[in-house]
Amino acid sequence: VMERRLGHQVASRLVAPLISGIFGASPDEVSMASAFPAFAEQRSLVLAMAKRQRSSGPTFLTIPSGLQALIDALEATLREAGVTLKTDSRVSGIARDPSSNDYIVTTTQGQDQSQEVRADAVLVTTSAATASSLLRGVAPGAAVALEPERSSSSAVVLLRYAQGSIG
């Protein structure tokens, strides 16, 4: 749709990188209605842009003290709940102890200092390809499901809140 409406060069040099950066997918995988719902049914994108109402507030918002505040609050809440967190470590393997059903997580920190950590649960927060490799021995079904997943170095998460609910 974009190429037909705007031409090949605009679609490939402007729209494709924009869509990829925002949605983590190529324009062929994101419908016009999903990406730009206000413009999807319009005859002309240029006229639709000219007619749209301008917002009085900022287009993008974030946490005033920065996104790290979200991570810090999550970490503090988990620690208060008794969760032990191990950060700044590379996980090189996850196994299961058959006698206790604990997870055995092998980590590396710094100069090849390998350490095994026992855990009741493991939260894997990495790319699909890395997660697939780590989970192969403990959750083969999940590992196989993650293999074809494509990931992006960044993605935008869109959340909508009622006016005035965020200070």
Side-chain angles (χ1 to χ4, degrees):
V1 171
M2 289 298 210
E3 188 166 339
R4 191 181 80 238
R5 289 184 170 195
L6 300 173
H8 176 71
Q9 283 192 334
V10 171
S12 65
R13 294 184 183 178
L14 178 67
V15 176
L18 181 68
I19 296 291
S20 179
I22 293 172
F23 298 102
S26 76
D28 297 336
E29 299 170 285
V30 179
S31 71
M32 181 74 165
S34 296
F36 306 106
F39 307 138
E41 299 302 320
Q42 301 297 318
R43 184 178 57 84
S44 165
L45 290 176
V46 175
L47 290 175
M49 287 288 292
K51 286 185 206 175
R52 73 185 177 111
Q53 258 185 340
R54 301 279 187 246
S55 171
S56 59
T59 302
F60 299 103
L61 297 174
T62 189
I63 298 169
S65 56
L67 291 175
Q68 184 63 43
L70 179 64
I71 303 301
D72 294 342
L74 177 61
E75 184 176 347
T77 301
L78 289 170
R79 289 189 192 281
E80 287 169 13
V83 175
T84 302
L85 299 174
K86 184 166 178 65
T87 60
D88 297 323
S89 298
R90 183 180 181 279
V91 174
S92 56
I94 302 173
R96 202 78 190 248
D97 181 344
S99 63
S100 66
N101 218 23
D102 285 349
Y103 290 97
I104 302 169
V105 181
T106 306
T107 65
T108 308
Q109 192 171 15
Q111 294 284 9
D112 299 325
Q113 300 168 352
S114 183
Q115 180 183 10
E116 285 189 352
V117 177
R118 290 185 165 273
D120 298 326
V122 176
L123 176 64
V124 179
T125 58
T126 187
S127 70
T130 302
S132 176
S133 174
L134 289 171
L135 295 172
R136 196 163 316 287
V138 293
V144 169
L146 288 167
E147 282 176 358
E149 288 301 313
R150 190 173 42 101
S151 62
S152 175
S153 60
S154 68
V156 174
V157 177
L158 304 172
L159 304 172
R160 185 175 182 159
Y161 295 93
Q163 185 82 22
S165 65
I166 299 178

